[in-house]
Amino acid sequence: MKRVTLFGATGSVGQSAIDLIARDLDAYDVVALTGGRNLVQLATDAVRLRADLAVTCYPECYDALKQLLAGTGVAVAAGPDAIAEAAARPVDWALSAIIGAAGLVPGLVALEHGTTLALANKESLVTAGPLLMAKAQSHGATVLPVDSEHSAVFQALVGEDMAAVERVIITASGGAFRDWPVAKLAKATLAEASCHPNWNMGQRITIDSASMFNKGMELIETKEFFGVDPDMIEVLVHRESLIHALVGFNDGALMAHVGPPDMRHAIGYALHWPDRRALPVERLDLAKIGALTFEAPDQSRYPALALAQRVMQTGGLAGAVFNAAKERALDGFIAGQIGFMDMSRIVEATLDTMTASAGLQNVPITLDTVLQTDRLARIRAAEAISQLG
Ligand code: NAD
Ligand code: MG
């Protein structure tokens, strides 16, 4: 039996993982599930998956979760420390599907214990990529990509020599506003930004797809995970979301990964890796699909892409600033404090301020420096938001 823990089990990615695990329960020993305020979901899944432990990240939710799980035999805990403690429990495979920088610590703890970490939480790589990858290496642990583009690149690289790789192309649907006039974007509402044309995902990543902050994060994620030069990574708008990434080799070949837009493919690939097993995802009928389209991204529509390029060139703690400022700006957009296009302005202003004052390139990347930078960048981003108003 494979011992597994799912961080962020109640979210969009977590639920897709549960769908796969629940189909073959006898193959898994579920150690811990973690979630947030969706306590009924967390408790129901913990009982259904016969988990040892259920953890909510909110201490104030402890009593309610305890009550929901009374008499079931599932242990209950609450708070960020409890999630980190859950990460120290021995398992063979852990899914990191918490949203935001909160995913970093449990991922690092799991790696310290030699756990194979299936990483959906892109914020870990954006904020602290070198730290995370070094932690995996020093503890003999494996990190497997779960973001669909990175799983696609990973699969295209099986059996290949990295020295033969010339470029890595990650695709983007273009998000909710791909056909809007750029001038109208400033007025985009929360409801309009929360609909994705192809993927069904959590609200935050859906809005990040409309702004392409998500793709910007994925550029950085590509650099950190595969260790490729920023100049080798490209974004290609591909409306159909069927090709997830392409790898270009020095003989001119491009290896493309094609599949339905269903996260259960990338999760399932990581769950069964290094094997490939049958998965309950749609089989594409390419004759019916007929045509696939490709466009270069419009930089004026998606300023997040240039900001991500800048972050990759700067290196060091710039990723931690980028992510924290983006999270704070997204909070501001969701709360109606700022407009849609203001999000990139806030991130740019925060990068400007902190590059000038904090020496982002020269400070070593440790958990402390990352968390400190994250806190400071949120403060600077909040200041930038209040200056806008
Ligand atoms: P989601 O919002 O649907 O779920 C997030 C999960 O994290 C929930 O279980 C929630 O309870 C938990 N959580 C939220 N705040 C937390 C905190 N402070 N501490 C601990 N747990 C917390 O998010 P999602 O769309 O499933 O995305 C999860 C991660 O996977 C993100 O990093 C996202 O970028 C990445 N990702 C998602 C998709 C997708 O299809 N949704 C695709 C690729 C990558
Ligand atoms: Mg993705």
Side-chain angles (χ1 to χ4, degrees), residues 7-15 34-38 56-58 80 83 96-100 102-103 119-123 146-149 199-205 208 214 217-218 221 263:
F7 298 99
T10 57
S12 167
V13 172
Q15 289 292 299
T34 85
R37 292 194 197 282
N38 200 345
T56 161
C57 64
Y58 299 108
I83 292 186
S96 170
I98 287 173
I99 185 115
L119 193 66
N121 178 265
K122 58 191 77 182
E123 295 86 351
V146 169
D147 211 341
S148 55
E149 297 76 3
W199 291 90
N200 180 13
M201 309 184 287
Q203 187 190 38
R204 295 181 74 88
I205 184 174
D208 282 351
N214 181 52
M217 305 268 287
E218 291 179 357
E221 198 183 353
M263 284 304 291

Coordinates of all heavy atoms in Angstrom, one line a residue, residues 7-15 34-38 56-58 80 83 96-100 102-103 119-123 146-149 199-205 208 214 217-218 221 263, ligand 1:
F7 N -2.0 17.7 1.0 CA -2.1 19.1 1.6 C -2.9 19.9 0.6 O -2.7 19.9 -0.6 CB -0.7 19.7 1.7 CG 0.2 18.9 2.6 CD1 1.2 18.0 2.1 CD2 0.1 19.1 4.0 CE1 2.0 17.3 3.0 CE2 0.9 18.4 4.8 CZ 1.9 17.5 4.3
G8 N -3.9 20.5 1.2 CA -4.9 21.3 0.4 C -5.9 20.3 -0.3 O -6.3 20.5 -1.4
A9 N -6.3 19.3 0.5 CA -7.2 18.2 0.0 C -8.5 18.8 -0.4 O -9.2 18.2 -1.3 CB -7.3 17.1 1.0
T10 N -9.0 19.9 0.2 CA -10.4 20.3 -0.1 C -10.4 21.2 -1.4 O -11.5 21.7 -1.8 CB -10.9 21.1 1.1 OG1 -10.0 22.2 1.4 CG2 -11.1 20.2 2.3
G11 N -9.3 21.6 -1.9 CA -9.3 22.5 -3.1 C -9.5 21.8 -4.4 O -9.8 20.6 -4.4
S12 N -9.4 22.5 -5.4 CA -9.6 22.0 -6.8 C -8.7 20.9 -7.1 O -9.1 19.8 -7.5 CB -9.5 23.2 -7.8 OG -9.5 22.7 -9.1
V13 N -7.4 21.1 -6.9 CA -6.4 20.0 -7.2 C -6.5 18.9 -6.2 O -6.5 17.7 -6.6 CB -5.0 20.6 -7.2 CG1 -3.9 19.5 -7.3 CG2 -4.7 21.6 -8.3
G14 N -6.7 19.2 -4.9 CA -6.9 18.2 -3.9 C -8.1 17.3 -4.2 O -8.0 16.0 -4.1
Q15 N -9.2 17.8 -4.7 CA -10.4 17.0 -4.9 C -10.1 16.1 -6.2 O -10.6 15.0 -6.2 CB -11.6 17.9 -5.1 CG -12.0 18.6 -3.9 CD -12.6 17.6 -2.9 OE1 -13.6 17.0 -3.2 NE2 -12.0 17.5 -1.7
T34 N -5.4 17.8 4.6 CA -5.4 19.1 5.2 C -6.3 20.0 4.4 O -6.5 19.8 3.2 CB -4.1 19.8 5.4 OG1 -3.7 20.4 4.2 CG2 -3.0 18.8 5.8
G35 N -6.9 21.0 5.0 CA -7.8 21.9 4.3 C -7.9 23.2 5.1 O -7.1 23.5 6.0
G36 N -8.9 24.0 4.8 CA -9.1 25.3 5.4 C -10.5 25.3 6.1 O -10.7 24.6 7.1
R37 N -11.4 26.2 5.5 CA -12.7 26.3 6.2 C -13.7 25.4 5.7 O -14.8 25.3 6.3 CB -13.2 27.8 6.0 CG -12.3 28.8 6.7 CD -13.0 30.2 6.7 NE -12.0 31.1 7.0 CZ -11.5 31.3 8.3 NH1 -12.0 30.7 9.3 NH2 -10.5 32.2 8.5
N38 N -13.4 24.6 4.7 CA -14.4 23.7 4.1 C -14.4 22.4 4.9 O -14.0 21.4 4.5 CB -14.1 23.4 2.7 CG -15.3 22.9 1.9 OD1 -16.2 22.5 2.5 ND2 -15.1 22.9 0.6
T56 N -7.1 21.3 9.8 CA -7.5 22.6 9.2 C -6.5 23.6 9.5 O -5.9 23.6 10.6 CB -8.9 23.1 9.7 OG1 -9.0 24.5 9.4 CG2 -9.1 22.9 11.2
C57 N -6.2 24.5 8.5 CA -5.1 25.5 8.8 C -5.6 26.6 9.7 O -4.8 27.4 10.2 CB -4.6 26.1 7.5 SG -5.8 27.0 6.5
Y58 N -6.9 26.6 10.1 CA -7.4 27.7 10.9 C -7.6 27.2 12.3 O -8.5 26.4 12.6 CB -8.7 28.2 10.3 CG -8.5 28.8 9.0 CD1 -9.0 28.2 7.8 CD2 -7.8 30.0 8.8 CE1 -8.8 28.7 6.6 CE2 -7.6 30.6 7.5 CZ -8.1 29.9 6.4 OH -7.9 30.4 5.2
P80 N -1.2 26.3 11.3 CA -0.1 26.0 10.4 C 0.9 25.1 11.0 O 1.5 24.3 10.2 CB 0.5 27.4 10.2 CG -0.6 28.4 10.6 CD -1.5 27.7 11.5
I83 N -0.1 21.6 10.4 CA 0.1 21.2 9.0 C 1.5 20.8 8.9 O 1.8 19.7 8.3 CB -0.4 22.3 8.0 CG1 -1.9 22.4 8.1 CG2 0.1 21.9 6.6 CD1 -2.5 23.3 7.1
S96 N 1.3 18.5 -2.7 CA 1.3 19.9 -2.2 C 0.4 20.7 -3.0 O 0.7 21.1 -4.1 CB 2.8 20.4 -2.3 OG 2.8 21.8 -2.0
A97 N -0.9 20.8 -2.5 CA -1.9 21.5 -3.3 C -2.6 22.6 -2.5 O -3.7 22.9 -2.7 CB -3.0 20.5 -3.8
I98 N -1.8 23.1 -1.5 CA -2.2 24.3 -0.8 C -2.1 25.5 -1.8 O -1.2 25.4 -2.6 CB -1.4 24.5 0.5 CG1 -1.8 23.5 1.5 CG2 -1.5 25.9 1.0 CD1 -0.9 23.4 2.7
I99 N -2.9 26.5 -1.6 CA -2.7 27.6 -2.5 C -1.9 28.7 -1.8 O -2.1 28.9 -0.6 CB -4.1 28.2 -3.0 CG1 -3.9 29.4 -4.0 CG2 -5.0 28.7 -1.8 CD1 -4.4 29.1 -5.3
G100 N -1.0 29.3 -2.5 CA -0.2 30.4 -1.9 C 1.0 30.0 -1.2 O 1.4 28.8 -1.2
A102 N 1.7 29.7 1.7 CA 1.5 28.8 2.9 C 1.9 27.4 2.5 O 2.1 26.5 3.4 CB 0.1 28.8 3.3
G103 N 2.1 27.0 1.2 CA 2.4 25.7 0.8 C 3.9 25.4 1.0 O 4.3 24.2 1.0
L119 N 4.2 18.3 -6.6 CA 4.1 19.8 -6.4 C 3.1 20.4 -7.3 O 3.4 20.7 -8.5 CB 5.5 20.4 -6.5 CG 5.7 21.8 -6.0 CD1 5.5 21.8 -4.5 CD2 7.0 22.3 -6.3
A120 N 1.9 20.8 -6.8 CA 1.0 21.6 -7.5 C 1.3 23.1 -7.1 O 1.1 24.0 -7.9 CB -0.4 21.2 -7.3
N121 N 1.7 23.2 -5.8 CA 1.9 24.6 -5.2 C 3.0 25.3 -5.9 O 4.2 25.2 -5.5 CB 2.1 24.4 -3.7 CG 2.4 25.8 -3.1 OD1 3.5 26.2 -2.9 ND2 1.3 26.5 -2.7
K122 N 2.7 26.0 -7.0 CA 3.8 26.7 -7.7 C 4.5 27.8 -6.9 O 5.6 28.1 -7.2 CB 3.3 27.2 -9.0 CG 2.1 28.2 -8.9 CD 1.5 28.5 -10.3 CE 0.6 27.3 -10.7 NZ -0.1 27.5 -11.9
E123 N 3.8 28.3 -5.9 CA 4.3 29.4 -5.1 C 5.6 29.0 -4.4 O 6.5 29.8 -4.2 CB 3.3 29.9 -4.1 CG 2.1 30.5 -4.7 CD 0.9 29.6 -5.1 OE1 1.2 28.3 -5.1 OE2 -0.2 30.0 -5.5
V146 N 3.3 18.9 -10.8 CA 1.9 18.6 -11.0 C 1.2 19.7 -11.8 O 0.2 19.4 -12.5 CB 1.2 18.3 -9.7 CG1 -0.4 18.3 -9.8 CG2 1.6 17.1 -9.0
D147 N 1.8 20.8 -11.9 CA 1.2 21.9 -12.8 C 1.2 21.2 -14.2 O 2.2 20.6 -14.6 CB 2.1 23.1 -12.7 CG 1.3 24.4 -12.9 OD1 0.2 24.3 -13.5 OD2 1.9 25.5 -12.6
S148 N 0.1 21.4 -14.9 CA 0.0 20.7 -16.2 C 1.1 20.9 -17.2 O 1.6 20.0 -17.8 CB -1.4 21.0 -16.8 OG -1.5 22.4 -17.0
E149 N 1.6 22.2 -17.3 CA 2.6 22.5 -18.2 C 3.9 21.8 -17.8 O 4.7 21.3 -18.7 CB 2.9 24.0 -18.3 CG 1.7 24.8 -18.8 CD 0.6 25.0 -17.7 OE1 0.7 24.5 -16.6 OE2 -0.5 25.6 -18.1
W199 N -10.3 25.6 -18.3 CA -10.0 24.8 -17.1 C -11.0 25.2 -16.0 O -11.4 26.3 -15.8 CB -8.6 25.1 -16.6 CG -7.5 24.6 -17.5 CD1 -6.9 25.3 -18.5 CD2 -6.8 23.4 -17.4 NE1 -5.9 24.6 -19.0 CE2 -5.8 23.4 -18.4 CE3 -6.9 22.3 -16.5 CZ2 -4.9 22.3 -18.6 CZ3 -6.0 21.2 -16.7 CH2 -5.0 21.2 -17.7
N200 N -11.3 24.2 -15.2 CA -12.2 24.4 -14.0 C -11.2 24.4 -12.8 O -10.8 23.3 -12.4 CB -13.2 23.3 -13.9 CG -14.1 23.4 -12.7 OD1 -14.1 24.5 -12.1 ND2 -14.8 22.4 -12.4
M201 N -10.9 25.6 -12.2 CA -9.9 25.6 -11.1 C -10.4 26.5 -10.0 O -11.5 27.1 -10.1 CB -8.6 26.3 -11.7 CG -8.1 25.6 -13.0 SD -6.5 26.3 -13.5 CE -7.0 27.9 -14.2
G202 N -9.6 26.6 -9.0 CA -9.9 27.5 -7.9 C -10.0 29.0 -8.4 O -9.5 29.3 -9.4
Q203 N -10.7 29.8 -7.6 CA -10.9 31.2 -8.0 C -9.6 32.0 -8.2 O -9.4 32.7 -9.2 CB -11.8 32.0 -7.0 CG -12.2 33.4 -7.6 CD -12.9 34.2 -6.5 OE1 -12.5 34.2 -5.3 NE2 -13.9 35.0 -7.0
R204 N -8.7 31.8 -7.3 CA -7.5 32.7 -7.3 C -6.6 32.4 -8.6 O -6.2 33.3 -9.3 CB -6.6 32.5 -6.1 CG -7.3 33.0 -4.8 CD -6.5 32.8 -3.6 NE -5.4 33.8 -3.5 CZ -5.5 35.0 -2.9 NH1 -6.6 35.4 -2.4 NH2 -4.4 35.8 -2.9
I205 N -6.4 31.1 -8.9 CA -5.6 30.7 -10.1 C -6.4 31.1 -11.3 O -5.8 31.4 -12.4 CB -5.2 29.3 -10.0 CG1 -4.3 28.9 -11.2 CG2 -6.3 28.3 -10.0 CD1 -3.7 27.5 -11.2
D208 N -5.7 34.7 -11.8 CA -4.3 34.7 -12.2 C -4.1 34.3 -13.7 O -3.1 34.7 -14.3 CB -3.4 33.9 -11.3 CG -3.1 34.5 -10.0 OD1 -3.4 35.7 -9.8 OD2 -2.6 33.9 -9.1
N214 N -0.5 33.8 -13.5 CA -0.3 32.4 -13.4 C 0.8 32.0 -14.4 O 1.7 31.2 -14.0 CB -1.6 31.7 -13.7 CG -1.5 30.2 -13.6 OD1 -1.0 29.7 -12.6 ND2 -1.8 29.4 -14.6
M217 N 4.1 33.1 -13.2 CA 4.6 32.2 -12.1 C 5.2 30.9 -12.7 O 6.2 30.3 -12.3 CB 3.4 31.8 -11.2 CG 2.7 32.9 -10.6 SD 3.3 33.4 -9.0 CE 2.7 32.0 -8.0
E218 N 4.5 30.4 -13.8 CA 4.9 29.2 -14.4 C 6.2 29.3 -15.2 O 7.0 28.3 -15.3 CB 3.8 28.6 -15.3 CG 2.6 28.2 -14.5 CD 1.5 27.7 -15.4 OE1 1.5 27.7 -16.6 OE2 0.5 27.2 -14.8
E221 N 8.6 29.0 -12.4 CA 8.6 27.6 -12.0 C 9.4 26.7 -12.9 O 10.2 25.8 -12.5 CB 7.1 27.2 -12.0 CG 6.7 25.9 -11.3 CD 5.2 25.6 -11.5 OE1 4.5 26.4 -12.1 OE2 4.8 24.6 -11.1
M263 N -6.8 18.1 -14.7 CA -5.7 18.0 -13.8 C -5.4 16.6 -13.3 O -4.4 16.2 -12.8 CB -5.8 18.9 -12.6 CG -5.6 20.4 -12.9 SD -3.9 20.6 -13.6 CE -2.9 20.3 -12.2
Ligands
NAD1 P1 -8.0 26.0 -4.2 O1 -8.2 27.4 -3.7 O2 -9.1 25.3 -4.9 O3 -7.6 25.1 -2.9 C1 -6.6 25.5 -2.0 C2 -6.4 24.5 -0.9 O4 -5.5 25.1 0.0 C3 -7.7 24.3 -0.1 O5 -7.7 22.9 0.4 C4 -7.6 25.3 1.1 O6 -8.3 24.9 2.2 C5 -6.1 25.2 1.3 N1 -5.6 26.4 1.9 C6 -5.9 27.7 1.6 N2 -5.2 28.6 2.3 C7 -4.4 27.9 3.1 C8 -3.4 28.2 4.1 N3 -3.1 29.5 4.4 N4 -2.8 27.2 4.8 C9 -3.1 25.9 4.5 N5 -4.0 25.5 3.6 C10 -4.6 26.5 2.9 O7 -6.6 26.0 -5.0 P2 -6.3 25.1 -6.3 O8 -6.8 25.7 -7.5 O9 -6.6 23.7 -6.0 O10 -4.7 25.3 -6.4 C11 -3.8 24.7 -5.4 C12 -2.4 24.9 -5.9 O11 -2.2 24.2 -7.1 C13 -2.0 26.4 -6.2 O12 -0.7 26.6 -5.9 C14 -2.3 26.5 -7.7 O13 -1.5 27.5 -8.3 C15 -1.8 25.1 -8.1 N6 -2.4 24.7 -9.4 C16 -3.7 24.5 -9.5 C17 -4.3 24.1 -10.7 C18 -5.8 23.9 -10.8 O14 -6.3 23.3 -11.8 N7 -6.6 24.3 -9.9 C19 -3.5 23.7 -11.8 C20 -2.1 23.9 -11.6 C21 -1.6 24.3 -10.4

